[in-house]
Amino acid sequence: MQKVSSVVCTFIAGFLLFFAWSGYLKDEFNISEYRGIIVKKERTDKVISIGDSFVTEPHYMVFFENGKNLRVSNAIYMKIKEGTHTVLMKQNDNITLMK
């Protein structure tokens, strides 16, 4: 009886591990594509309070003609020009500029 329960528990553990891993892989390879003409670029400064001092952190946003907006890094923000057709690929928190 103990051998049967051991085999059943091992099978259930493997089954649950498989589904957890497959969900992880699905999220890991999920890529969003942002394609269109950039109508506006915006740089804003966010003020962050750290104890008694304040620090400003820049945020860079690009707005597409179809109404989508995306927060990008400084390097991508500098490469993109308003009025140009741009393709951006986002995977997790990484954004890549496609040419």
Side-chain angles (χ1 to χ4, degrees):
M1 184 66 179
Q2 185 179 10
K3 186 171 183 169
V4 172
S5 65
S6 174
V7 170
V8 169
C9 287
T10 303
F11 178 74
I12 290 173
F15 185 74
L16 293 175
L17 184 62
F18 169 75
F19 279 106
W21 182 255
S22 64
Y24 170 76
L25 287 179
K26 183 177 114 183
D27 290 341
E28 189 66 28
F29 292 112
N30 186 15
I31 298 174
S32 301
E33 180 179 272
Y34 293 86
R35 177 185 300 262
I37 296 175
I38 303 292
V39 293
K40 181 178 162 186
K41 290 174 29 174
E42 184 177 275
R43 180 187 188 270
T44 57
D45 290 323
K46 183 177 181 182
V47 178
I48 301 170
S49 174
I50 302 175
D52 291 336
S53 63
F54 293 100
V55 178
T56 59
E57 180 180 291
H59 287 254
Y60 302 99
M61 297 286 293
V62 292
F63 297 89
F64 290 90
E65 65 182 347
N66 56 6
K68 292 183 181 179
N69 57 7
L70 184 64
R71 183 174 174 211
V72 295
S73 66
N74 181 28
I76 292 176
Y77 180 82
M78 298 306 269
K79 288 181 184 178
I80 293 175
K81 295 179 182 163
E82 288 183 10
T84 59
H85 187 270
T86 306
V87 178
L88 296 172
M89 306 294 280
K90 180 178 181 182
Q91 180 182 14
N92 297 335
D93 288 332
N94 299 324
I95 299 174
T96 305
L97 177 63
M98 304 300 287
K99 291 207 173 197

